[in-house]
Amino acid sequence: MTRLDRWLVALGVGSRSQVQKLVKSGAVQVNGQPARDPSQSFAGDEALTLHGTPLDGRLTRHVMLHKPAGLLTAARDKKQPIVMDLLPPAYSSLGCMPVGRLDKDTTGLLLLTTDGELNHRLLAPGRHVDKTYRAAVDGPLTDEHVAAFAAGLHLSDFDAQPAALNILSSGAAESVALVTVHEGKFHQIKRMFEAVGRHVTALHRLTFGSLTLDEALAPGEWRELTEAELTALYHDAQMKETL
Ligand code: URA
């Protein structure tokens, strides 16, 4: 239970003084009744409207985004477009943040959440949350590459753990493969391929832990996680779900 005005500020409706004015003007309704007192208590499960339009009052949000190429995975950036630009402003106000990072030119599954502990735990080294990527590279792939990935590759600043490489097609000019890694170091997939003499020309993430990118989402589209997805994700993080 908290004050209505605090809740509205958290939802990004406006500053403290702006929301107080709105409430006093009768623009905010709680369970169908105009609220007149900004300090009245609010539990979070009441129906909220602003100027007659329903307002999603949940403070927690968990989002699956199909990241398109060309956006930075960042909570804010002064110069470049970011993934947060694809979500309504309330998501930023609520502190919804990307879990980990995809490169600007990488596409696919990006999870965003308001739960900082979940975010932290899913990324913690040793948690071994698997991620599967589809990578296109600039030359043939062979069983030797599969063996090198399975053995674990030595990169300049760290040894990559054994990873599964599953070749979907191999050609002189281009090959496509699925790669599953248990960690998430900077440019990891691109650097693993560089280490075996191949350059990644396209990279797309398909899974993150128990989450699989919803094929119904076009690049740039997003949706909230389902209950089942959320439960599985909290299980991945070995956490109790806090809704
Ligand atoms: N590995 C990369 O090289 N880039 C990404 O965006 C993700 C994993």
Side-chain angles (χ1 to χ4, degrees), residues 11-59:
L11 291 172
V13 171
S15 66
R16 188 76 174 264
S17 63
Q18 285 169 333
V19 303
Q20 288 180 344
K21 258 194 211 146
L22 278 172
V23 172
K24 284 181 188 156
S25 76
V28 177
Q29 291 202 347
V30 179
N31 286 339
Q33 298 300 317
R36 300 251 173 230
D37 179 3
S39 71
Q40 75 186 58
S41 52
F42 187 75
D45 53 1
E46 301 94 326
L48 261 185
T49 60
L50 174 61
H51 298 302
T53 306
L55 197 62
D56 184 344
R58 293 167 306 139
L59 294 186

Side-chain angles (χ1 to χ4, degrees), residues 99-149:
V99 179
R101 200 185 279 210
L102 292 178
D103 296 337
K104 192 172 170 185
D105 57 355
T106 300
T107 58
L109 174 58
L110 184 66
L111 167 68
L112 301 101
T113 180
T114 50
D115 187 334
E117 173 74 6
L118 176 68
N119 193 329
H120 178 74
R121 290 180 70 128
L122 287 171
L123 297 180
R127 187 73 54 194
H128 303 310
V129 173
D130 286 0
K131 295 129 199 138
T132 300
Y133 295 83
R134 188 180 61 231
V137 300
D138 65 349
L141 288 175
T142 66
D143 287 347
E144 280 172 32
H145 293 111
V146 174
F149 273 57

Side-chain angles (χ1 to χ4, degrees), residues 133-135 137 139-149 164-171 174-180 193 198:
Y133 295 83
R134 188 180 61 231
V137 300
L141 288 175
T142 66
D143 287 347
E144 280 172 32
H145 293 111
V146 174
F149 273 57
L165 179 66
N166 179 2
I167 301 170
L168 299 179
S169 66
S170 178
E174 188 187 77
S175 301
V176 178
L178 297 179
V179 189
T180 300
F193 276 108
R198 292 289 173 270

Side-chain angles (χ1 to χ4, degrees), residues 191-210:
R191 293 174 63 203
M192 286 167 72
F193 276 108
E194 292 292 339
V196 295
R198 292 289 173 270
H199 181 69
V200 171
T201 53
L203 190 59
H204 180 79
R205 185 157 67 187
L206 295 162
T207 73
F208 182 95
S210 35

